[in-house]
Amino acid sequence: MSLTYLEAIREAQYEALRRNPDVFIYGQDIGQFGGAFKATKGLMNEFPGRVLDAPISEDAMVGLAIGAAIEGSRPIVEMQFADFSSVGFNQIVNQAATLYWRTDVPCPITIRLPSGGTAGSGPFHSQSMESIYAHYPGLVIVCPATVEDAYWMLLDSVELDDPVIFCEHKFLYYHLKADSFGERDLPIGRARIARPGRDATVVTYSAMVHEAVRAADELQQDGYQVEVVDLRSVKPMDVDTILASVARTGRLLALGESFPWGGVTAEVVARVVTDGFHLLDAPPMRLNSKDTPIPYHTQLWKAHRPTVATVTDALRRLLRY
Amino acid sequence: MSLTYLEAIREAQYEALRRNPDVFIYGQDIGQFGGAFKATKGLMNEFPGRVLDAPISEDAMVGLAIGAAIEGSRPIVEMQFADFSSVGFNQIVNQAATLYWRTDVPCPITIRLPSGGTAGSGPFHSQSMESIYAHYPGLVIVCPATVEDAYWMLLDSVELDDPVIFCEHKFLYYHLKADSFGERDLPIGRARIARPGRDATVVTYSAMVHEAVRAADELQQDGYQVEVVDLRSVKPMDVDTILASVARTGRLLALGESFPWGGVTAEVVARVVTDGFHLLDAPPMRLNSKDTPIPYHTQLWKAHRPTVATVTDALRRLLRY
Amino acid sequence: MEAFRVMVRARTLEDKLANLYKAGGRLVGGVYLGKGQEAYSAALGIQLRWQHDILGPFIRDQAARIAFGEPPLDPMRTYFGSVRGPMRGRDGNVHRGRPKDGLPAMISHIGSMVSLVSGMLFARRMQGRLGDAVGAVTLGEGGTSTGAFHEGVNLAAVEKLPLIIAVTNNQYSYSTSNDRQFACSDLAERAKGYGIQGRNVDGTDLIQCVQAFDEVVRAARSGSGPQLIIGHTLRLTGHGEHDDSSYIPESVKKSPIGRDCMLIAEQQILEHAWMNDKEIAEWKNTCRADVERMVATAMKEPAPDPFKEPWRALSTSELCEGQWTV
Amino acid sequence: MEAFRVMVRARTLEDKLANLYKAGGRLVGGVYLGKGQEAYSAALGIQLRWQHDILGPFIRDQAARIAFGEPPLDPMRTYFGSVRGPMRGRDGNVHRGRPKDGLPAMISHIGSMVSLVSGMLFARRMQGRLGDAVGAVTLGEGGTSTGAFHEGVNLAAVEKLPLIIAVTNNQYSYSTSNDRQFACSDLAERAKGYGIQGRNVDGTDLIQCVQAFDEVVRAARSGSGPQLIIGHTLRLTGHGEHDDSSYIPESVKKSPIGRDCMLIAEQQILEHAWMNDKEIAEWKNTCRADVERMVATAMKEPAPDPFKEPWRALSTSELCEGQWTV
Ligand SMILES: Cc1ncc(C[n+]2csc(CCOP(=O)(O)OP(=O)(O)O)c2C)c(N)n1
Ligand SMILES: Cc1ncc(C[n+]2csc(CCOP(=O)(O)OP(=O)(O)O)c2C)c(N)n1
Ligand SMILES: [Mg+2]
Ligand SMILES: [Mg+2]
């Protein structure tokens, strides 16, 4: 049997609905239709009245979920694309993120953001918004890179008493396969060594983990052992694991798919140098997308985001330093 | 005569309206009332039909401005508080920021965000959103720290053919005074040495420039010369000026008032270490607000944001390193 | 008459707040009052049962809060920033609430509470424990221009939730008059466009307000879906106490819309002989004494101590990052 | 008859796009078609003059675009991602536009174009060069649930702009049927709540559509302010070509709402003897030949070259930061 990343998300939701009657799912076209990406396929029939189609009202969708959470429900909100969460932004960062701190009432909602670029999707169906949400206090931002993490971290997210922004990468939906969902091992907040090495550390997350691993494989032919750290959650960020890796390798490349100003790669670099400056044998490096909207044409898109080629190139420079 | 930061903003708008008939101002309560902070006081009468009250519709306010810009106008949009721009977020980051790149039609709009904390204002009237907007390609983010910059950078912003997020700090509105608006010297995109020094560099912007300068003054009594770099615009960021300063001092503190994850201070540190690693004699440091919403009570608020005391403290540790 | 007693209590409390604000120094932050809107607000509040119904109040609903059952010390404690208040000094003034008791704590972004209150009702219904509970959310007429209002009302209509959307048309949104806010002659007509019921009421007239909310809340309780009601009145104070509202023309203040609902209510009470002069005077004294006691208590209470604050924005403490900066 | 010719052109073009999509490989990204909506869309488009009026089209307005005057090669060039297209491969398919000619390029976020088109009209009026120009913005019925739609329409009403808000109620928003989208029986009734004019029209009937838009656009041109019009029809295709729309029940497809406006229009044209069979057949051939030529041209044109791309998001090049990462 082979399970995809997308199936992991569907199965995790199935399991969450099964385990806890307080869980429900709310989003556009997620009922009978099963969602734009089929992440909720069949769930409406299996859990009648708990998988509901929403109007095109992202602000109200999130507002409804927060209200429901106050009353003890544990809603999952599916945004049709991460990009459209910009319309629900205010409810997310000002209402959900502040509720516990202001009132002592926790806000257990999970907002699923189908994220990241795929060929031909253009500026408004390709965005990665983890860096935006991570800036705000009161939110947990997870970015699973594997089928196993997609499954377990979604279950963890729904069980968490705090609002979780669940960034699932559309590029991985069908591409990524596993034999099983494995076991629940690392909790949210802990990074994983996706590939061990001793010569340089790539800290990354989500789809870029796979570009990094492939770059590391390529460099192995030149005799380099590159370690890849998969952040899993970008907030909280597991700085201990990152520093331990940099302590071994002395070299850091922070890699992310989203826009270059600020964001995860800046935070990674800043944390490493403020807490582990002397671990570094070379200046740290960053690699992100280019500083323009995400292009529609495949040729442009491939050049806009980091790929195995540009990661390998960056690593070569880092290793040669 | 003594001119405040707030008067600078009013006068710059007066001048912009006077110079160019394509300029108009749109925002809530900015007409007869002159704005919640009186930044447009009297302008409606001086420029009839060009200073207009908007409904409570931040999304539509920004949308209207973008449409007007397409037609050759140069709108200034006043948000009543920066915090409420979260409701116009989508139009700003997805419509204004992408217009030029997508269509080759420039988008000369200026969005004024009364930003930053003041005592007793609480979580929703105190936010600093420069880091959020700076993440997106296609926007220019300016954060004036002086009366002169408030004046000239606002005029520059309105003249720029690109969307500018003009973050004006409410704490400086009345506190900051100058004898005149001085002369137009530095363009947007260039930082300024707000106070020269040789022992450490504080890179900061907006209200925190003044906390940093006062901290530097304090440390002077101990014989330290701390240099303060006022970024003026956080995007683009004037890395050359920062690096030149760090080259002189060997020590860096990145200081900002907004939330700690990501944002300006992470970007500053990341840029310095990727481009000027060997300039540093000590690990760089960061200082931001705490990672919670902004508290209402003055006692909490004072502890939430960086102040002279905490900046001085951080600098002492940096200098002693 | 319950609603009138509530009105007096609210007005007394708010007059005190206005004085404290003007005296300066003691209160944290600004003061936002409901003067001129007490009849409408109280008439809504008396229909709602604490810990049974839901009230998502706007900034001018001291009366509705009192009638609903907000703990009496909550307002003063919040205005003084006492750690013993429900917001513990973290948030203030009109942003206070007790979500678990059915009183969510509003965020400032206008319109945002419509969908939130809808979500509370939605969850209770899904959990099978809605019963005959209703939710009410209040806004000013300016709030109807927000996208959040529209999305929230439409969603409540689709879900046929027992939601009362009580709009106070007090003629101004801060300084902005209605001709710059909307172009329709009757905001209640928006109801039809959402497929819900809508009506108007004279917000200066207590008896009419009580009557109207009695009907409206009954309709919501009995399954008729969302109810939009517009109360017409004038804000008899500044937007906040920092604002002298000099932009409101004398002619408006002197027009029927500018009548003080307190005076009218008092007349109505006397006319119907529900209370006599003496009883009213006594009640006012009681309210004044109560308010003074609240001030005395709240003033003495400790302010939040930044060193004792946990500074954690997540309930899951192990996921809070330390003070990693510096 | 102009509108009918436009409809045929649009349908021919879109059938080709559907085939190209199904054949796979050549087009970049998805395909979104207006099948079943051509009558309504064309009837709007023929009222608008290129470089004089404004059209903010939604994803199903190939017909309105053609009628308005979008350069004929723009659609194919954009779908193929040609650098010679107006979007130069940066954005695609239905997101194309030429803002300076009155055809803004939509972003995906539904409802966002209402205020943008309003702003274009607003600026022209302020600049004293509005004349009798009007702006039209189109949406699906699902789009009426967005906050952006509400804020935009309300703002246009306050400003009394010559804006036509043309909603196509095609019964579905992607897979979502109207009962999960709104609760009113008549979306046109929303007009009253905004203080603007509203009406319905049978979107499957070309003659009625032409008549309705003639009146509506005339009203807008002559200063009657915003006009809301709802056209009723059925989407005769998937949401995009990846979608088989199997969620639409046969009963709906077979009901009067599911009639193909093309067939009805053709009948109407013949009945009125505006064209005969032969002329129609010839026109269809012309359209097919034109479309093939466009495909042949667009296919041959160069794709954008990432090495030649300036990768600059600001028009002020000196403010663009370099490729500072790495
Ligand atoms: C989204 C948003 N924009 C702006 C504001 C600032 N603001 C606070 S109250 C107010 C006026 C509200 O007017 P109205 O809704 O009529 O209520 P009233 O104050 O008259 O009771 C404004 C503009 C806000 N709170 N939220
Ligand atoms: C704000 C926002 N949310 C979600 C989407 C995803 N989306 C694209 S088209 C569509 C359905 C639109 O339905 P409708 O408005 O009825 O137009 P139709 O497709 O039927 O013509 C949805 C949900 C979007 N584009 N924008
Ligand atoms: Mg009002
Ligand atoms: Mg539709």
Side-chain angles (χ1 to χ4, degrees), chain C residues 192-203:
Chain C
K192 227 178 282 173
Y194 295 113
I196 64 175
Q197 288 169 350
R199 63 178 289 174
N200 288 290
V201 66
D202 180 349

Side-chain angles (χ1 to χ4, degrees), chain A:
Chain A
M1 196 187 66
S2 129
L3 297 159
T4 65
Y5 183 94
L6 182 61
E7 281 159 349
I9 289 165
R10 190 221 169 258
E11 292 306 315
Q13 291 181 104
Y14 173 87
E15 191 56 23
L17 287 161
R18 195 187 63 74
R19 286 189 194 178
N20 189 339
D22 291 330
V23 174
F24 71 91
I25 316 184
Y26 194 60
Q28 290 149 23
D29 305 296
I30 64 164
Q32 189 200 333
F33 190 59
F37 297 100
K38 304 295 170 195
T40 57
K41 195 173 161 188
L43 295 181
M44 185 187 88
N45 293 333
E46 289 170 290
F47 302 96
R50 291 170 60 199
V51 181
L52 297 107
D53 283 339
I56 309 183
S57 302
E58 282 78 5
D59 182 279
M61 282 160 56
V62 179
L64 175 136
I66 300 165
I70 290 174
E71 294 292 321
S73 289
R74 310 186 81 84
I76 300 172
V77 175
E78 176 181 307
M79 292 283 161
Q80 201 152 77
F81 284 81
D83 316 52
F84 300 138
S85 74
S86 58
V87 186
F89 179 69
N90 179 58
Q91 294 279 9
I92 298 171
V93 305
N94 284 316
Q95 186 106 267
T98 67
L99 181 68
Y100 169 72
W101 184 80
R102 291 170 68 238
T103 69
D104 229 17
V105 176
C107 186
I109 71 175
T110 301
I111 302 179
R112 289 183 34 235
L113 302 188
S115 301
T118 50
S121 296
F124 310 115
H125 292 76
S126 304
Q127 292 174 25
S128 299
M129 292 180 66
E130 61 282 350
S131 300
I132 291 298
Y133 293 114
H135 184 59
Y136 284 88
L139 300 173
V140 173
I141 320 293
V142 308
C143 303
T146 67
V147 174
E148 295 84 343
D149 275 351
Y151 183 80
W152 290 110
M153 292 182 88
L154 184 45
L155 271 176
D156 287 348
S157 300
V158 177
E159 284 176 16
L160 208 67
D161 269 347
D162 291 294
V164 179
I165 308 298
F166 188 87
C167 304
E168 51 193 61
H169 203 294
K170 301 192 297 291
F171 192 76
L172 302 180
Y173 275 167
Y174 314 101
H175 289 345
L176 217 58
K177 289 184 180 125
D179 288 335
S180 79
F181 297 137
E183 290 189 19
R184 192 177 215 147
D185 52 354
L186 289 180
I188 288 177
R190 291 280 301 281
R192 171 188 285 121
I193 307 295
R195 186 191 192 283
R198 55 160 198 261
D199 298 322
T201 298
V202 184
V203 176
T204 188
Y205 59 102
S206 194
M208 285 295 136
V209 168
H210 306 283
E211 304 289 329
V213 167
R214 283 161 60 202
D217 289 346
E218 203 154 297
L219 288 164
Q220 186 153 21
Q221 297 167 8
D222 304 1
Y224 292 116
Q225 301 291 343
V226 173
E227 180 149 300
V228 178
V229 176
D230 172 3
L231 285 174
R232 298 176 72 251
S233 66
V234 305
K235 188 169 184 188
M237 186 178 279
D238 183 357
V239 180
D240 291 347
T241 297
I242 301 173
L243 286 177
S245 175
V246 174
R248 280 191 291 278
T249 65
R251 284 176 160 73
L252 169 69
L253 170 66
L255 169 66
E257 178 180 333
S258 66
F259 301 129
W261 196 101
V264 178
T265 62
E267 185 66 21
V268 167
V269 169
R271 295 277 196 106
V272 168
V273 296
T274 49
D275 290 356
F277 189 67
H278 294 294
L279 304 176
L280 288 164
D281 299 328
M285 289 175 81
R286 283 162 85 192
L287 185 56
N288 296 293
S289 83
K290 293 194 194 294
D291 194 34
T292 72
I294 300 153
Y296 172 73
H297 198 290
T298 314
Q299 300 303 339
L300 295 181
W301 175 70
K302 281 185 186 159
H304 184 265
R305 71 196 276 266
T307 53
V308 183
T310 54
V311 176
T312 308
D313 184 54
L315 280 170
R316 273 191 214 286
R317 278 182 287 144
L318 181 64
L319 288 161
R320 253 189 247 125
Y321 190 90

Side-chain angles (χ1 to χ4, degrees), chain B residues 194-246:
Chain B
R195 186 190 191 284
R198 54 158 198 263
D199 298 323
T201 298
V202 185
V203 176
T204 187
Y205 59 102
S206 194
M208 286 296 136
V209 168
H210 306 283
E211 304 289 329
V213 167
R214 283 160 60 202
D217 289 346
E218 203 153 297
L219 287 164
Q220 186 154 20
Q221 297 166 8
D222 302 2
Y224 292 115
Q225 300 292 342
V226 172
E227 181 148 300
V228 178
V229 175
D230 172 3
L231 284 174
R232 299 176 71 249
S233 65
V234 305
K235 187 169 183 189
M237 186 178 280
D238 184 355
V239 179
D240 290 348
T241 298
I242 300 172
L243 287 177
S245 175
V246 174

Side-chain angles (χ1 to χ4, degrees), chain D residues 89-102:
Chain D
R90 297 184 184 180
D91 205 346
N93 50 53
V94 290
H95 299 91
R96 69 189 183 272
R98 295 185 174 267
K100 285 291 184 195
D101 295 320

